[in-house]
DNA sequence: ACGTACGGGACGGCCCGTTTGT
DNA sequence: ACAAACGGGCCGTCCCGTACGT
């Protein structure tokens, strides 16, 4: 029972993991179902068995990231102060980006992905709420633009090809960069 | 005379312009040679006559941007003070990005493009020099990461799809965002 | 069971057979994948499903010939006397050529084919060993050249377009021609 | 006057020479008009100016070889003795082959070439006469087949890629191989 | 939970040849 | 004696999806 159920999702996860690996190396557009099948030593049919279409595969890959993003947003939105709220979001976003390091940068930068995800019923709303939280720090176009620069800059830098830093260092520096861009002061942490 | 010389390159330029328009609307990967041909009412052969490969078309499109980038870098490198130098580069980069607004954002975000351009003999060197100028403002990984966040954030934000601001406003805000990210103070201009 | 196993390779074999027929009529270079598809009433995609590239199709076609050639060479190499060894190889080669009559001549004569097969890891070695056996009959360049003349002459003549002789007659005459070229006397067969 | 005429053919000859060079390296089928134009630093139009079609270019290339072959055949046909006649032809053919070494082997082996040349009004007749002279040495199919083996073997071996022998040595060995194949004894030369 | 076989279609590349200039 | 510009067509490759088996 449980074993069977676990096995079923296990098998599905193998495809997702392989897809992630290939996405980071060849981008989404440059990864065919055939490549994923080859990576696992199976045929394309096996892929189609788990994901009805290429699009469904993509959404399955980003699902956990979306979940994490929603949690971050909801947590932030519960905070009253604008600065504290923005800082909380920024921290969560940096965590998210660093956690899914290589994958994130390749997804945000792929027009084919954004095209598909733009129509994603949940994600598009999340991104709006996310941007709003950061943009609210400053009024007008300036706030909007700086929010965009911060988010895109952080996400794009994640793939630290050239850089040789551990995740914690990367996280700290990205957070600092984002705070500066948005004009946030580091909050005094618990006492 | 002059007419003949202009005419010679004129035809080629028509293809480049059409390509730019399509790239901004459908990204590089999403633009086929057939689409370019259709746009101009000719066949693929005509495209192939001017650009022997898809790659050559791309490099022809980015050529003017590279030239402008080089000028900016060289101008900046001639300045002694680190901050003034970085600020000069940042200003030039923002100008470049805003000038080629829609095209720029679509290029930096396309993995297929970066793949091709990474091997570009000139561009790769320029990017290194550019990053170095910004990274020198602060030592260590922090400088490196903030330089990356600033450059990627600015380039990625250029396509102000959602935003409704004129170029000058956009330029000012992007510059301000970059300066903050890098910790630069606006230089007191000549007065 | 057996039916299933046979069926599996059966479909693939249909393409190979069709390819052989077309190769002999239009040469390898003159045979497009579309022609093969048309011959079987399917699309190019079906061809691509069985052979991922044109090159793989070619190697699949020549595979059985390579196997036969290897057997011949190994059989010959087991013989001690130089003349007997060369004669054994020659006999086997003539058998091979006559057996795959029309195909053989069209393959050895196609520069595109030789280009591909020259890099074939197995075949290139076999050809060396084969030539060596014949060249050893006489020392120096003379042996080398006569070995080449014999092999190329026999292979090239196989396609007896103009000639109207049965296979046995052809075999005998080719063997005799080869023996003369190499200076071999017909061995006294088991009385 | 004369200068102009010479210049005109000179220019034409440049294209032929370039074509020969490329044919030997990439075969006839693998050589496009574009490649020839590139080799000379001109455009395809220049090629078309001298040769109305690809076919005319090919015939222009082989013209001198045909002339030489005709001379050889006519010289041989004037001799009475069958053996002496065949030997004279063989000698002339070997000379021809060695002289146009690399080109010859690539032409006889290219199906696209033979397809075009088979319809050549002069050449097809020459080849028939040539084969007949050699085949007459022995009656029946045997003579026919041995003639073919000799001619094809010699032509195919010409491109002595692997071999490192000077032209004279190659000529001698090819002649010896041909004589053996046909069962000819070296004629006593002018005592 | 897969494999086999295939369709329909697009893509980039390259071909040869022609028209129209200079 | 060339160059510019282009048409029409084919090629090999690859794509995603599906129908059908087992």
């Amino acid at each position: 029972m449980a074993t069977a159920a676990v096995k079923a999702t296990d098998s599905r996860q193998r495809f997702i993991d392989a897809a992630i690996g290939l996405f980071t190396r060849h981008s989404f557009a440059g990864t065919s179902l055939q490549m994923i099948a080859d990576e696992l030593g199976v045929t394309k049919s096996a892929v189609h068995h788990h994901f009805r279409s290429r699009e469904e595969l993509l959404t399955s890959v980003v699902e956990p990231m979306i979940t994490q993003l929603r949690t971050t947003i909801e947590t932030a939105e519960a905070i009253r102060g604008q600065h504290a709220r923005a800082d909380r979001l920024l921290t969560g976003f940096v965590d998210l980006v660093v956690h899914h390091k290589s994958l994130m940068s390749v997804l945000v930068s792929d027009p084919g992905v954004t095209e598909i995800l733009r129509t994603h019923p949940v994600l598009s709303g999340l991104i709006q709420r996310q941007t709003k939280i950061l943009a609210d720090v400053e009024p007008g176009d300036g706030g909007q633009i700086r929010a965009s620069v911060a988010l895109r800059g952080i996400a794009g830098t994640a793939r630290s090809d050239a850089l040789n830093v551990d995740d914690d260092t990367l996280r700290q520096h990205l957070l600092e960069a984002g705070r500066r861009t948005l004009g946030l002061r580091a909050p005094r942490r618990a006492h």
Side-chain angles (χ1 to χ4, degrees), chain A:
Chain A
M1 259 26 323
T3 315
V6 164
K7 204 120 171 269
T9 59
D10 242 25
S11 180
R12 198 168 185 272
Q13 192 60 38
R14 283 178 55 235
F15 286 90
I16 293 181
D17 291 342
I20 292 178
L22 288 165
F23 286 174
T24 62
R25 296 207 300 273
H26 307 107
S27 87
F28 175 67
T31 301
S32 69
L33 302 187
Q34 182 67 64
M35 289 167 69
I36 299 174
D38 289 349
E39 185 88 354
L40 294 174
V42 297
T43 67
K44 263 187 330 179
S45 297
V47 183
H48 270 112
H49 176 69
H50 292 285
F51 313 93
R52 292 182 134 175
S53 73
R54 180 180 166 75
E55 194 167 325
E56 187 181 319
L57 167 61
L58 177 62
T59 56
S60 298
V61 164
V62 298
E63 199 94 341
M65 294 172 57
I66 291 180
T67 303
Q68 186 175 346
L69 179 60
R70 176 162 43 203
T71 306
T72 294
I73 291 177
E74 286 168 353
T75 305
E77 284 177 338
I79 299 179
R80 284 149 307 158
Q82 275 187 349
H83 280 67
R85 184 161 63 228
D87 197 86
R88 183 65 193 81
L89 180 76
L90 197 65
T91 309
F93 184 72
V94 168
D95 281 348
L96 173 63
V97 161
V98 172
H99 187 225
H100 303 281
K101 208 163 28 172
S102 46
L103 180 59
M104 172 59 92
S105 71
V106 95
L107 289 186
V108 300
S109 69
D110 197 311
V113 173
T114 57
E115 182 69 20
I116 293 175
L117 295 185
R118 210 172 47 202
T119 69
H120 191 287
V122 176
L123 185 57
S124 56
L126 288 178
I127 291 179
Q128 275 192 342
R129 287 159 67 189
Q130 179 191 32
T131 307
K132 183 173 173 10
I133 294 176
L134 296 189
D136 279 352
V137 172
E138 286 179 272
D141 297 331
Q144 202 79 19
I145 290 176
R146 272 184 284 277
S148 171
V149 171
L151 290 174
R152 288 175 187 273
I154 290 172
T157 303
R159 161 187 51 194
S160 47
D161 280 352
L163 257 43
N164 244 20
V165 297
D166 62 294
D167 282 6
D168 266 343
T169 309
L170 179 60
R171 201 187 333 261
Q172 283 179 12
H173 287 306
L174 286 179
L175 185 56
E176 171 66 12
R179 281 175 175 155
R180 286 198 195 176
T181 308
L182 296 168
L184 297 175
R185 283 304 83 211
R188 0 177 231 302
R189 278 300 172 104
H191 101 274

